[in-house]
Amino acid sequence: MLTLHRVTTLLADPTAPPVTDGAVLVQGTRIAGLGPYAELAGAFPAARTRRWDGLLTPGLRNPCGHWLLECAYHPDPREEIGAEPVPGLELDETQAGASARRGLQRMLGYGTTAVAGPFERPAVRTAVARSGLTALPGEGLAGPLDPLATATLAQAAHGRLTIGGPADFAVFEASGPAGPAVPRAGGALATVLAGRLVFRRH
């Protein structure tokens, strides 16, 4: 099935000019088209269309995956101890796996599609592999769940969107003095991973 993601602004490459009223055409797990919505809709009239009022960018890379998933605990909402990662707790493998799964879900809410390790605990490695996020080498840095809290989009983006490339991207509200092609930190409107909508803000 073909899905056309229509957005207010498309920024397939953070170093290139944005496209107003742009779109990404997804077929399966890959990107089949990029460009102005009118051109893609005309060429693929049978495609299902999703409309997003925001800025579509490549998915983000979180460089702090090791710290967030192996050195911090992500509380279950039923525990009523808040939502922020809690460092320094001793966890068994079952607890570590459940914590990592919750942490990965929260990362998707920030537009993250790639996460840096190393992932040394078996339960965490399994959680990362099953999540579908791209696992990358890393240096074990400590930091926030939101990559845009400490980096620009050009620094945080995991590459650029290309035809034939993986359909991993995020949609953000846009803000900032540099114009409409600046995503607002604080979370994504939607995250697509391997062509699947894995997060949508309610």
Side-chain angles (χ1 to χ4, degrees), residues 98-144:
S99 171
R101 289 191 293 274
R102 291 189 293 268
L104 289 160
Q105 283 297 314
R106 293 197 64 202
M107 287 181 182
L108 291 173
Y110 287 103
T112 299
T113 58
V115 60
F119 303 113
E120 298 163 339
R121 297 193 69 156
V124 174
R125 284 200 304 271
T126 298
V128 172
R130 290 179 176 174
S131 73
L133 276 79
T134 300
L136 303 170
E139 300 175 357
L141 303 174

Side-chain angles (χ1 to χ4, degrees), residues 63-74:
C64 306
H66 171 81
W67 186 85
L68 286 166
L69 300 178
E70 296 207 351
C71 302
Y73 175 69
H74 297 270

Side-chain angles (χ1 to χ4, degrees), residues 4-111:
L4 196 56
H5 293 265
R6 182 183 185 182
V7 288
T8 308
T9 308
L10 168 65
L11 193 63
D13 181 343
T15 65
V19 176
T20 301
D21 194 14
V24 175
L25 182 69
V26 174
Q27 183 172 28
T29 64
R30 317 299 286 185
I31 293 173
L34 295 163
Y37 168 74
E39 292 182 11
L40 289 172
F44 300 92
R48 176 183 63 172
T49 298
R50 289 187 182 273
R51 179 72 171 89
W52 305 105
D53 184 16
L55 169 67
L56 190 152
T57 76
L60 306 183
R61 178 183 68 89
N62 192 311
C64 306
H66 171 81
W67 186 85
L68 286 166
L69 300 178
E70 296 207 351
C71 302
Y73 175 69
H74 297 270
D76 186 311
R78 294 170 294 184
E79 294 176 284
E80 299 182 351
I81 58 173
E84 292 303 309
V86 180
L89 300 183
E90 292 291 332
L91 305 176
D92 63 27
E93 282 297 294
T94 299
Q95 293 170 324
S99 171
R101 289 191 293 274
R102 291 189 293 268
L104 289 160
Q105 283 297 314
R106 293 197 64 202
M107 287 181 182
L108 291 173
Y110 287 103

